[in-house]
Amino acid sequence: MKPLQELVRPNIWALAPYSSARNEYAGREARVFLDANENPYNQPFNRYPDPLQLELKEALSKVKGVPAENIFLGNGSDEPIDLAYRCFCQPGIDNVVAIEPTYGMYKVCADINDTEYRPILLDEHYQITAEKLLAAVDEHTKIIWLCSPNNPTGNSLRREEIVKVIEGFEGIVIVDEAYSDFSAVTPLRSELSQYPNLIVLNTMSKAWGCAAIRLGMAFASKEIIAIYNKVKYPYNINQLTQKQALEALKDPYEVDNWVKILLQERGRMVDAFALLPICEKVYPTDANFFLAKMTDAQKIYDYLVDRGIIIRNRNRVQLCKDCLRITIGTKTENNELLAALRQY
């Protein structure tokens, strides 16, 4: 890995971050708050939230097995995705490398931040070699994006190839593990200390059933987390989100049960789809969804929409012609989908 100072944008490295009222007395007890121009009425919503979400990070640390100092919390995973560009990529100069197809926000954020996006096509098994990814790198490549399990394909990328990328690239490697709770593969966040150039993303939106609260996570070295904290908005995680996340984290065993049920339903749905005359192939998956190649994805999608059943049409995504992406729902929802397709 290059020295972090060489990877961070010079203006970001030199940035003096905004110092919020809550930051300035941090570490000391206080009971009268006359510092932040808040209204003293309408408690508890009148007060600004903890800008560094320390209580929530401590709770997450116990569940995720990552020290609190190595955790950044964002407004969904999209915030740490966007911050990666803002921290590391000089607009109009730097570039990033990513697999294709994958989660669309990596490219959207690249376009927003005027950063060249270099997509490298997966093979017919939706896998890629480190050699192919690293061949796309030049002196202006700051980030390599990987998503495992990948979206929309559902499969986990080969671990040995991910490690080769991390070890073979001098810049930042970001591995999005949004769906890792549904996979038997050990998440890379458990190996964070071995790779100073690694950022691992995770979210409360999937296995934890908390998409509405918009809470994403980035796990990285203390040094990278410090850069993220310099650039983020002072109170990026509101109090309601922090409170609801803490409530959810009190019962991780319920989440384990949800995952178990969803995995059982995933197996049932994959088997059922494989028997449909209109389904040509179901691809392997380690996520709470699967990708299926159909006889005519657009017509089938339109047919389902007319019946009030919404899935994701991936027909126009590279390597996904005539493919539909199906999220695993409740047994009742899944049965309704199957019934409609059997009548198609």
Side-chain angles (χ1 to χ4, degrees), residues 283-299:
Y283 292 94
T285 180
D286 290 311
N288 67 328
F289 63 86
F290 62 92
L291 191 70
K293 184 173 179 62
M294 313 299 284
T295 53
D296 191 325
Q298 188 62 55
K299 286 185 178 179

PDB file of all heavy atoms in Angstrom, residues 283-299:
ATOM      1  N   TYR A 283     -29.022 -18.954 -11.203  1.00  0.00           N
ATOM      2  CA  TYR A 283     -27.603 -18.842 -10.885  1.00  0.00           C
ATOM      3  C   TYR A 283     -27.357 -19.075  -9.388  1.00  0.00           C
ATOM      4  O   TYR A 283     -28.216 -18.774  -8.550  1.00  0.00           O
ATOM      5  CB  TYR A 283     -27.084 -17.463 -11.289  1.00  0.00           C
ATOM      6  CG  TYR A 283     -27.070 -17.264 -12.786  1.00  0.00           C
ATOM      7  CD1 TYR A 283     -28.148 -16.657 -13.433  1.00  0.00           C
ATOM      8  CD2 TYR A 283     -25.988 -17.689 -13.553  1.00  0.00           C
ATOM      9  CE1 TYR A 283     -28.150 -16.488 -14.812  1.00  0.00           C
ATOM     10  CE2 TYR A 283     -25.983 -17.511 -14.934  1.00  0.00           C
ATOM     11  CZ  TYR A 283     -27.060 -16.922 -15.551  1.00  0.00           C
ATOM     12  OH  TYR A 283     -27.063 -16.753 -16.918  1.00  0.00           O
ATOM     13  N   PRO A 284     -26.194 -19.604  -9.033  1.00  0.00           N
ATOM     14  CA  PRO A 284     -25.861 -19.817  -7.616  1.00  0.00           C
ATOM     15  C   PRO A 284     -25.913 -18.501  -6.841  1.00  0.00           C
ATOM     16  O   PRO A 284     -25.540 -17.451  -7.369  1.00  0.00           O
ATOM     17  CB  PRO A 284     -24.437 -20.376  -7.659  1.00  0.00           C
ATOM     18  CG  PRO A 284     -24.280 -20.926  -9.042  1.00  0.00           C
ATOM     19  CD  PRO A 284     -25.120 -20.062  -9.931  1.00  0.00           C
ATOM     20  N   THR A 285     -26.360 -18.564  -5.596  1.00  0.00           N
ATOM     21  CA  THR A 285     -26.491 -17.344  -4.800  1.00  0.00           C
ATOM     22  C   THR A 285     -26.071 -17.556  -3.355  1.00  0.00           C
ATOM     23  O   THR A 285     -26.262 -18.639  -2.793  1.00  0.00           O
ATOM     24  CB  THR A 285     -27.941 -16.820  -4.848  1.00  0.00           C
ATOM     25  OG1 THR A 285     -28.032 -15.620  -4.066  1.00  0.00           O
ATOM     26  CG2 THR A 285     -28.923 -17.839  -4.305  1.00  0.00           C
ATOM     27  N   ASP A 286     -25.497 -16.508  -2.772  1.00  0.00           N
ATOM     28  CA  ASP A 286     -25.163 -16.472  -1.344  1.00  0.00           C
ATOM     29  C   ASP A 286     -25.851 -15.292  -0.677  1.00  0.00           C
ATOM     30  O   ASP A 286     -25.426 -14.844   0.392  1.00  0.00           O
ATOM     31  CB  ASP A 286     -23.646 -16.349  -1.152  1.00  0.00           C
ATOM     32  CG  ASP A 286     -22.896 -17.605  -1.551  1.00  0.00           C
ATOM     33  OD1 ASP A 286     -23.302 -18.694  -1.113  1.00  0.00           O
ATOM     34  OD2 ASP A 286     -21.912 -17.502  -2.311  1.00  0.00           O
ATOM     35  N   ALA A 287     -26.899 -14.769  -1.314  1.00  0.00           N
ATOM     36  CA  ALA A 287     -27.571 -13.568  -0.825  1.00  0.00           C
ATOM     37  C   ALA A 287     -29.032 -13.877  -0.493  1.00  0.00           C
ATOM     38  O   ALA A 287     -29.462 -15.029  -0.532  1.00  0.00           O
ATOM     39  CB  ALA A 287     -27.472 -12.463  -1.869  1.00  0.00           C
ATOM     40  N   ASN A 288     -29.801 -12.838  -0.158  1.00  0.00           N
ATOM     41  CA  ASN A 288     -31.237 -13.019   0.104  1.00  0.00           C
ATOM     42  C   ASN A 288     -32.043 -12.782  -1.174  1.00  0.00           C
ATOM     43  O   ASN A 288     -33.197 -12.363  -1.127  1.00  0.00           O
ATOM     44  CB  ASN A 288     -31.710 -12.085   1.218  1.00  0.00           C
ATOM     45  CG  ASN A 288     -31.649 -10.611   0.811  1.00  0.00           C
ATOM     46  OD1 ASN A 288     -30.777 -10.211   0.039  1.00  0.00           O
ATOM     47  ND2 ASN A 288     -32.563  -9.817   1.344  1.00  0.00           N
ATOM     48  N   PHE A 289     -31.426 -13.056  -2.304  1.00  0.00           N
ATOM     49  CA  PHE A 289     -32.077 -12.958  -3.608  1.00  0.00           C
ATOM     50  C   PHE A 289     -31.380 -13.932  -4.542  1.00  0.00           C
ATOM     51  O   PHE A 289     -30.314 -14.487  -4.228  1.00  0.00           O
ATOM     52  CB  PHE A 289     -31.995 -11.528  -4.158  1.00  0.00           C
ATOM     53  CG  PHE A 289     -30.593 -11.049  -4.421  1.00  0.00           C
ATOM     54  CD1 PHE A 289     -29.948 -11.315  -5.623  1.00  0.00           C
ATOM     55  CD2 PHE A 289     -29.894 -10.333  -3.455  1.00  0.00           C
ATOM     56  CE1 PHE A 289     -28.656 -10.892  -5.861  1.00  0.00           C
ATOM     57  CE2 PHE A 289     -28.591  -9.896  -3.683  1.00  0.00           C
ATOM     58  CZ  PHE A 289     -27.977 -10.181  -4.888  1.00  0.00           C
ATOM     59  N   PHE A 290     -31.968 -14.146  -5.707  1.00  0.00           N
ATOM     60  CA  PHE A 290     -31.293 -14.948  -6.722  1.00  0.00           C
ATOM     61  C   PHE A 290     -31.581 -14.372  -8.099  1.00  0.00           C
ATOM     62  O   PHE A 290     -32.566 -13.644  -8.297  1.00  0.00           O
ATOM     63  CB  PHE A 290     -31.701 -16.430  -6.647  1.00  0.00           C
ATOM     64  CG  PHE A 290     -33.162 -16.694  -6.896  1.00  0.00           C
ATOM     65  CD1 PHE A 290     -33.639 -16.976  -8.180  1.00  0.00           C
ATOM     66  CD2 PHE A 290     -34.077 -16.676  -5.841  1.00  0.00           C
ATOM     67  CE1 PHE A 290     -34.990 -17.224  -8.401  1.00  0.00           C
ATOM     68  CE2 PHE A 290     -35.426 -16.924  -6.059  1.00  0.00           C
ATOM     69  CZ  PHE A 290     -35.883 -17.195  -7.346  1.00  0.00           C
ATOM     70  N   LEU A 291     -30.719 -14.672  -9.033  1.00  0.00           N
ATOM     71  CA  LEU A 291     -30.846 -14.219 -10.413  1.00  0.00           C
ATOM     72  C   LEU A 291     -31.268 -15.407 -11.271  1.00  0.00           C
ATOM     73  O   LEU A 291     -30.679 -16.492 -11.167  1.00  0.00           O
ATOM     74  CB  LEU A 291     -29.511 -13.666 -10.907  1.00  0.00           C
ATOM     75  CG  LEU A 291     -29.519 -12.901 -12.232  1.00  0.00           C
ATOM     76  CD1 LEU A 291     -30.231 -11.558 -12.068  1.00  0.00           C
ATOM     77  CD2 LEU A 291     -28.085 -12.686 -12.737  1.00  0.00           C
ATOM     78  N   ALA A 292     -32.283 -15.195 -12.093  1.00  0.00           N
ATOM     79  CA  ALA A 292     -32.800 -16.267 -12.942  1.00  0.00           C
ATOM     80  C   ALA A 292     -32.878 -15.799 -14.388  1.00  0.00           C
ATOM     81  O   ALA A 292     -33.387 -14.706 -14.663  1.00  0.00           O
ATOM     82  CB  ALA A 292     -34.179 -16.708 -12.464  1.00  0.00           C
ATOM     83  N   LYS A 293     -32.382 -16.615 -15.305  1.00  0.00           N
ATOM     84  CA  LYS A 293     -32.492 -16.322 -16.734  1.00  0.00           C
ATOM     85  C   LYS A 293     -33.815 -16.892 -17.231  1.00  0.00           C
ATOM     86  O   LYS A 293     -34.094 -18.082 -17.059  1.00  0.00           O
ATOM     87  CB  LYS A 293     -31.324 -16.926 -17.503  1.00  0.00           C
ATOM     88  CG  LYS A 293     -31.332 -16.578 -18.995  1.00  0.00           C
ATOM     89  CD  LYS A 293     -30.071 -17.066 -19.672  1.00  0.00           C
ATOM     90  CE  LYS A 293     -30.087 -16.751 -21.166  1.00  0.00           C
ATOM     91  NZ  LYS A 293     -30.134 -15.296 -21.430  1.00  0.00           N
ATOM     92  N   MET A 294     -34.614 -16.032 -17.836  1.00  0.00           N
ATOM     93  CA  MET A 294     -35.958 -16.405 -18.266  1.00  0.00           C
ATOM     94  C   MET A 294     -36.059 -16.418 -19.798  1.00  0.00           C
ATOM     95  O   MET A 294     -35.162 -15.956 -20.495  1.00  0.00           O
ATOM     96  CB  MET A 294     -36.977 -15.424 -17.681  1.00  0.00           C
ATOM     97  CG  MET A 294     -36.800 -15.133 -16.193  1.00  0.00           C
ATOM     98  SD  MET A 294     -36.946 -16.584 -15.116  1.00  0.00           S
ATOM     99  CE  MET A 294     -38.728 -16.815 -15.119  1.00  0.00           C
ATOM    100  N   THR A 295     -37.161 -16.935 -20.297  1.00  0.00           N
ATOM    101  CA  THR A 295     -37.373 -16.972 -21.744  1.00  0.00           C
ATOM    102  C   THR A 295     -37.567 -15.573 -22.318  1.00  0.00           C
ATOM    103  O   THR A 295     -37.106 -15.280 -23.418  1.00  0.00           O
ATOM    104  CB  THR A 295     -38.592 -17.844 -22.078  1.00  0.00           C
ATOM    105  OG1 THR A 295     -39.715 -17.376 -21.302  1.00  0.00           O
ATOM    106  CG2 THR A 295     -38.317 -19.309 -21.770  1.00  0.00           C
ATOM    107  N   ASP A 296     -38.246 -14.705 -21.581  1.00  0.00           N
ATOM    108  CA  ASP A 296     -38.454 -13.312 -22.006  1.00  0.00           C
ATOM    109  C   ASP A 296     -38.673 -12.466 -20.758  1.00  0.00           C
ATOM    110  O   ASP A 296     -39.802 -12.315 -20.279  1.00  0.00           O
ATOM    111  CB  ASP A 296     -39.650 -13.195 -22.952  1.00  0.00           C
ATOM    112  CG  ASP A 296     -39.725 -11.825 -23.631  1.00  0.00           C
ATOM    113  OD1 ASP A 296     -39.375 -10.815 -22.979  1.00  0.00           O
ATOM    114  OD2 ASP A 296     -40.132 -11.765 -24.794  1.00  0.00           O
ATOM    115  N   ALA A 297     -37.575 -11.916 -20.220  1.00  0.00           N
ATOM    116  CA  ALA A 297     -37.627 -11.218 -18.934  1.00  0.00           C
ATOM    117  C   ALA A 297     -38.586 -10.036 -18.957  1.00  0.00           C
ATOM    118  O   ALA A 297     -39.338  -9.813 -18.000  1.00  0.00           O
ATOM    119  CB  ALA A 297     -36.233 -10.761 -18.525  1.00  0.00           C
ATOM    120  N   GLN A 298     -38.573  -9.260 -20.034  1.00  0.00           N
ATOM    121  CA  GLN A 298     -39.409  -8.061 -20.074  1.00  0.00           C
ATOM    122  C   GLN A 298     -40.895  -8.407 -20.037  1.00  0.00           C
ATOM    123  O   GLN A 298     -41.664  -7.807 -19.277  1.00  0.00           O
ATOM    124  CB  GLN A 298     -39.104  -7.248 -21.334  1.00  0.00           C
ATOM    125  CG  GLN A 298     -39.800  -5.884 -21.366  1.00  0.00           C
ATOM    126  CD  GLN A 298     -39.365  -4.980 -20.241  1.00  0.00           C
ATOM    127  OE1 GLN A 298     -38.171  -4.716 -20.065  1.00  0.00           O
ATOM    128  NE2 GLN A 298     -40.325  -4.497 -19.452  1.00  0.00           N
ATOM    129  N   LYS A 299     -41.317  -9.381 -20.829  1.00  0.00           N
ATOM    130  CA  LYS A 299     -42.728  -9.763 -20.851  1.00  0.00           C
ATOM    131  C   LYS A 299     -43.162 -10.347 -19.515  1.00  0.00           C
ATOM    132  O   LYS A 299     -44.265 -10.061 -19.023  1.00  0.00           O
ATOM    133  CB  LYS A 299     -42.991 -10.759 -21.982  1.00  0.00           C
ATOM    134  CG  LYS A 299     -42.992 -10.134 -23.366  1.00  0.00           C
ATOM    135  CD  LYS A 299     -43.388 -11.157 -24.429  1.00  0.00           C
ATOM    136  CE  LYS A 299     -43.429 -10.522 -25.814  1.00  0.00           C
ATOM    137  NZ  LYS A 299     -43.803 -11.515 -26.860  1.00  0.00           N
TER     138      LYS A 299
END
